[in-house]
Amino acid sequence: MQKLTNKEEEVMHILWKLEKAFVKDVLAEVKDDKPHYNTYSTIIRNLEDKGYVGHTAFGNTHQYFPVITKEEYRTGFMSNAIENYFGNSYKSMVSFFAREEKISAEELREILDMIEKRK
């Protein structure tokens, strides 16, 4: 799975939300600095080249839709992050979040309960 730029990820989140959209629909969802229409058109075409987006043609215009689900992307993204930043160790990842105080002891207990229930 090819890595996406921040703008490409932003567009993918919009497409996952809308399910199908023309470039103008994507642009209408952008909250921050709205770049030119052609900029977003190029981003969406790049996403299509990378295999993340497909389209249906309506004359000269295209309606775009996600080809991969948000869950598929999240799985690939997290696998890459864990491999690249935590040496493929989930223990290192969880301990990182604990040290950074991003996860509480109660949340860790809930995770342990989920693991125990699977056994």
Side-chain angles (χ1 to χ4, degrees):
M1 181 175 292
Q2 248 184 310
K3 187 173 184 201
L4 299 181
T5 67
N6 290 339
K7 283 292 182 193
E8 288 172 337
E9 275 192 16
E10 178 185 8
V11 169
M12 284 305 300
H13 283 284
I14 292 169
L15 287 173
W16 285 320
K17 175 184 168 189
L18 299 178
E19 297 179 0
K20 295 181 199 171
F22 296 96
V23 175
K24 66 180 177 69
D25 301 325
V26 171
L27 201 53
E29 293 287 319
V30 175
K31 305 285 188 267
D32 299 328
D33 300 325
K34 293 193 188 225
H36 194 271
Y37 177 97
N38 290 341
T39 302
Y40 269 78
S41 179
T42 299
I43 291 169
I44 293 171
R45 283 195 314 275
N46 288 341
L47 285 166
E48 191 169 25
D49 291 343
K50 290 180 177 182
Y52 286 88
V53 170
H55 76 267
T56 304
F58 292 95
N60 289 335
T61 190
H62 295 116
Q63 184 179 48
Y64 297 95
F65 53 89
V67 172
I68 68 161
T69 66
K70 191 174 188 176
E71 292 73 25
E72 289 170 324
Y73 181 73
R74 179 179 34 222
T75 299
F77 178 86
M78 289 305 298
S79 294
N80 286 336
I82 291 166
E83 181 180 333
N84 292 328
Y85 294 102
F86 300 103
N88 227 11
S89 169
Y90 287 83
K91 179 182 172 186
S92 293
M93 181 195 67
V94 172
S95 64
F96 166 81
F97 288 114
R99 279 192 313 276
E100 295 291 316
E101 298 180 6
K102 302 290 185 192
I103 191 168
S104 68
E106 180 59 32
E107 290 169 320
L108 285 171
R109 281 189 212 72
E110 290 174 20
I111 292 169
L112 287 171
D113 286 344
M114 286 188 317
I115 292 169
E116 291 296 324
K117 287 178 183 175
R118 284 190 185 173
K119 292 181 179 180

